[in-house]
Amino acid sequence: MRLGRIASPDGVAFVAIEGDDEPIVREIAEHPFGTPTFTGRQWPLADVRLLAPILASKVVCIGKNYAAHVAEMGGERPDDPVIFMKPNTAIIGPRVPIQLPADADPVHYEGELAAVIGRPCKDVSAARAAENILGFTIANDVTARDQQRKDGQWTRAKGYDTFCPVGPWIATDVDPSDLAIRTEVNGQVRQDSRTSMMIHDVGEVIEWISAVMTLLPGDLILTGTPEGVGPIEHGDSVSVSIEGIGTLTNPVVRKAKS
């Protein structure tokens, strides 16, 4: 099943997206957790606007989780997962512009697989992690690289509004162990890898994070980016595609200096 959120003439709703050639969206009553029930209302996907597919209380991210990316950034492969957080105010949906701060240069894209938590959980073992996942979506961990280096910690560099594009929907029947992941900027391939190249897989990541903090329904877990990160600038278009899920595309604009 593909789950998402839409804006329609009737308001905002969670939906299931069905069909490929001319998909329709079926409105879900209340929320998508558990076994969803439907209101009976539906629309062609072409007639509605896709929003970020989930309302997360927090976004927990894994850094340095692909060896080739660690190497390109000049770091050392970590023994344990490296976690950091982005505020939920950074989340935007498909087609919404990424806004580059006027004083940040360079700003990099980072295409990533994201897990969506399906129920409250704490101290989850890697073997039981899948039981707590609603599904998987696509994220772009946008990063002001100059500020990351200057600050020595990553909150400001990764926490700007619009720095966490997510979508286009949540796929509930995807095996995350070996999916193709690709990022394009203006149609040119910049990242091309597979999730099997992760240092710490999804189960390990959720075990590590849930040992620290309680995860709530809708929380997003960004699992790290492969090699090939690079700058984006005003006028660019960034697309992250993951096998079995789809493609997340966002334009890029730079805010004017005040």
Side-chain angles (χ1 to χ4, degrees):
M1 181 180 290
R2 291 176 293 173
L3 302 171
R5 286 174 63 241
I6 62 155
S8 76
D10 297 315
V12 174
F14 286 106
V15 296
I17 299 100
E18 299 179 352
D20 295 317
D21 294 333
E22 295 183 357
I24 63 167
V25 298
R26 298 174 61 207
E27 185 179 44
I28 295 172
E30 297 182 356
H31 58 71
F33 305 108
T35 301
T37 58
F38 296 92
T39 66
R41 297 202 299 178
Q42 63 183 45
W43 304 268
L45 179 59
D47 292 348
V48 300
R49 179 166 59 91
L50 285 170
L51 306 174
I54 202 67
L55 301 170
S57 75
K58 54 186 172 291
V59 183
V60 190
C61 309
I62 300 296
K64 302 180 179 181
N65 202 26
Y66 287 77
H69 173 59
V70 174
E72 76 177 348
M73 300 303 292
E76 296 183 359
R77 175 174 171 149
D79 293 329
D80 297 317
V82 176
I83 61 175
F84 63 94
M85 297 180 71
K86 297 170 84 84
N88 58 10
T89 48
I91 296 171
I92 56 174
R95 306 290 177 182
V96 177
I98 298 165
Q99 298 184 28
L100 310 182
D103 61 348
D105 184 34
V107 177
H108 282 189
Y109 56 83
E110 294 189 7
E112 308 199 8
L113 175 72
V116 182
I117 297 300
R119 63 186 188 186
C121 58
K122 179 73 169 72
D123 294 322
V124 177
S125 69
R128 303 291 296 271
E131 300 171 16
N132 299 280
I133 296 172
L134 174 65
F136 295 89
T137 188
I138 302 168
N140 186 349
D141 175 21
V142 182
T143 305
R145 198 67 75 195
D146 59 329
Q147 295 178 9
Q148 182 184 26
R149 293 174 179 137
K150 179 179 179 180
D151 293 354
Q153 52 80 25
W154 303 353
T155 303
R156 179 170 68 124
K158 291 176 175 286
Y160 283 95
D161 290 354
T162 78
F163 270 27
C164 190
V166 179
W169 41 63
I170 300 162
T172 63
D173 55 356
V174 169
D175 178 350
S177 61
D178 186 28
L179 302 174
I181 178 169
R182 184 178 70 251
T183 302
E184 298 180 5
V185 178
N186 303 327
Q188 300 296 312
V189 176
R190 302 293 178 83
Q191 294 181 289
D192 191 4
S193 188
R194 302 194 69 87
T195 58
S196 55
M197 302 300 291
M198 288 182 189
I199 297 171
H200 305 285
D201 66 21
V202 171
E204 294 175 87
V205 162
I206 289 180
E207 179 178 284
W208 185 262
I209 295 171
S210 69
V212 177
M213 65 189 77
T214 298
L215 296 172
L216 300 176
D219 282 352
L220 286 165
I221 309 297
L222 274 57
T223 59
T225 196
E227 74 277 13
V229 300
I232 48 177
E233 192 45 86
H234 182 87
D236 286 344
S237 177
V238 185
S239 295
V240 185
S241 300
I242 298 181
E243 181 182 2
I245 302 177
T247 298
L248 169 68
T249 299
N250 296 88
V252 181
V253 299
R254 183 172 288 279
K255 298 175 68 175
K257 292 185 179 180
S258 57

